[in-house]
Amino acid sequence: MQILITGGTGFIGRRLVARLLSRGHRLTILSRQDAVGVQRLLTPEVSSVKSLTAVNPSVAFDAVINLAGEGVMDKRWTPSRKTQLLDSRVALTSELVDLIERMENRPGCLISGSAIGFYGGRDDAARLDESSGAGDDFASGLCVRWEQAAERAKGLGVRVCLVRTGVVLHPEGGALHEMMTPFRLGIGGPLGSGQQMMSWIHMEDMVNALLFLLENESAEGAFNATAPEAVSNKDFAMALAGTLNRPALLKIPARVLKWMLGESSEMVLKGQNVYPERLMAEGYQFTYPQLKPALTQLIRA
């Protein structure tokens, strides 16, 4: 396939690109870096463009994968930061669909990122699937608008998959990378009450799920990209500490996190018990459905 990818140099994107290339696909990467920088980071096998306006609409792409977006937890949510988060997701996705509309030969599918933040921060452990409603906080509104921008491609005859991603686990980035140092030093532990639910997914399953949706022509609509075993934050902390052979005694109070992170602290103080109902119904089989084997493979492999 000829595939256009946004976010191909990111945490998930780099690993997806490697897998797609190993399967013989031809890739064009949207990146703010120049072509030399992209090829140095990824591989000389990829092509790149610095803006969507640089994409020739006469080029026939078989699929588009949209993973771009500023890191939600990278900075405090000031008004300007919220604008950046919206632009990097909603505005870019809208521009991407505009490009698809201009294409002489439209792609067969658009796989577009979203997040389990769609469901909003929850104080309970009630199980959520793709039929569950959206929340009412900033993260939820961001995801709703992000998905709406992508869904416009359905009217253009394109199969659209919306991937609501949970906490992606890999030691070289994301939440697990941030947690590794304090836990290795024996100063890790639960956040806030520790009762909030964490819906996670091993990086290998994250990439495999994207490939599964790309290749499964019957798949469309929203899909939760989370393992079928959500855990409480306390249980996650205990499992991580156990894998590292360290204690998990230091509990970080909610007030400290609110002082450090501001409004975005709700992303870690509240949670969601998200179940991948539709992904499993389509026939996807998880390589790492349980947390302890997933952490063991990631940390001790």
Side-chain angles (χ1 to χ4, degrees):
M1 289 187 193
Q2 180 82 7
I3 304 173
L4 174 64
I5 304 178
T6 74
T9 59
F11 177 47
I12 299 170
R14 294 195 306 274
R15 293 161 180 89
L16 176 64
V17 163
R19 290 286 299 281
L20 288 169
L21 289 173
S22 73
R23 295 187 176 207
H25 298 298
R26 302 178 306 280
L27 310 181
T28 299
I29 310 297
L30 173 68
S31 174
R32 288 172 290 189
Q33 301 185 53
D34 59 25
V36 173
V38 172
Q39 291 180 345
R40 185 182 296 119
L41 182 62
L42 297 175
T43 168
E45 296 178 64
V46 303
S47 301
S48 67
V49 292
K50 294 189 74 171
S51 71
L52 290 174
T53 56
V55 178
N56 186 343
S58 65
V59 174
F61 288 100
D62 300 291
V64 176
I65 302 176
N66 178 30
L67 301 177
E70 295 277 347
V72 172
M73 297 296 292
D74 288 355
K75 299 178 182 179
R76 290 177 71 94
W77 288 354
T78 62
S80 62
R81 181 58 179 172
K82 287 183 175 181
T83 299
Q84 289 177 338
L85 293 173
L86 286 163
D87 287 346
S88 69
R89 288 169 172 76
V90 181
L92 186 141
T93 301
S94 183
E95 291 173 17
L96 188 59
V97 176
D98 288 343
L99 171 62
I100 291 173
E101 187 171 17
R102 296 194 301 273
M103 288 179 174
E104 296 176 11
N105 296 287
R106 291 170 182 162
C109 73
L110 167 62
I111 297 176
S112 194
S114 183
I116 60 172
F118 173 92
Y119 303 107
R122 306 285 181 123
D123 291 317
D124 58 51
R127 195 168 90 169
L128 305 167
D129 61 26
E130 292 86 354
S131 67
S132 302
D136 60 2
D137 52 21
F138 171 73
S140 175
L142 174 62
C143 292
V144 168
R145 292 177 60 183
W146 194 6
E147 292 185 7
Q148 288 173 341
E151 284 188 308
R152 189 160 55 87
K154 290 167 58 177
L156 303 174
V158 177
R159 176 172 67 90
V160 177
C161 295
L162 306 168
V163 186
R164 295 174 181 165
T165 305
V167 178
V168 181
L169 301 183
H170 195 279
E172 295 177 6
L176 183 60
H177 175 74
E178 295 296 323
M179 298 170 73
M180 292 281 280
T181 297
F183 272 82
R184 278 187 167 137
L185 293 172
I187 55 174
L191 304 178
S193 71
Q195 299 306 306
Q196 68 273 30
M197 298 299 291
M198 289 184 64
S199 295
W200 57 275
I201 185 169
H202 188 293
M203 177 63 81
E204 184 172 337
D205 276 314
M206 183 70 235
V207 172
N208 286 343
L210 290 170
L211 293 172
F212 178 83
L213 294 175
L214 174 67
E215 296 167 357
N216 186 351
E217 295 185 359
S218 70
E220 61 181 321
F223 293 88
N224 293 329
T226 60
E229 181 197 74
V231 297
S232 71
N233 178 265
K234 180 180 178 181
D235 286 344
F236 186 95
M238 296 300 292
L240 177 56
T243 305
L244 293 168
N245 295 315
R246 294 291 187 272
L249 303 176
L250 185 61
K251 183 177 178 179
I252 303 178
R255 65 179 181 278
V256 173
L257 290 166
K258 290 177 180 179
W259 175 77
M260 291 172 58
L261 302 174
E263 184 182 351
S264 65
S265 63
E266 294 299 301
M267 295 284 287
V268 294
L269 292 173
K270 293 186 177 182
Q272 305 96 357
N273 179 7
V274 178
Y275 188 77
E277 182 75 39
R278 297 200 63 232
L279 196 57
M280 297 182 74
E282 287 288 341
Y284 181 77
Q285 296 185 353
F286 282 84
T287 304
Y288 297 98
Q290 296 178 319
L291 180 62
K292 289 184 179 179
L295 289 174
T296 297
Q297 190 280 328
L298 288 165
I299 294 170
R300 297 182 179 175

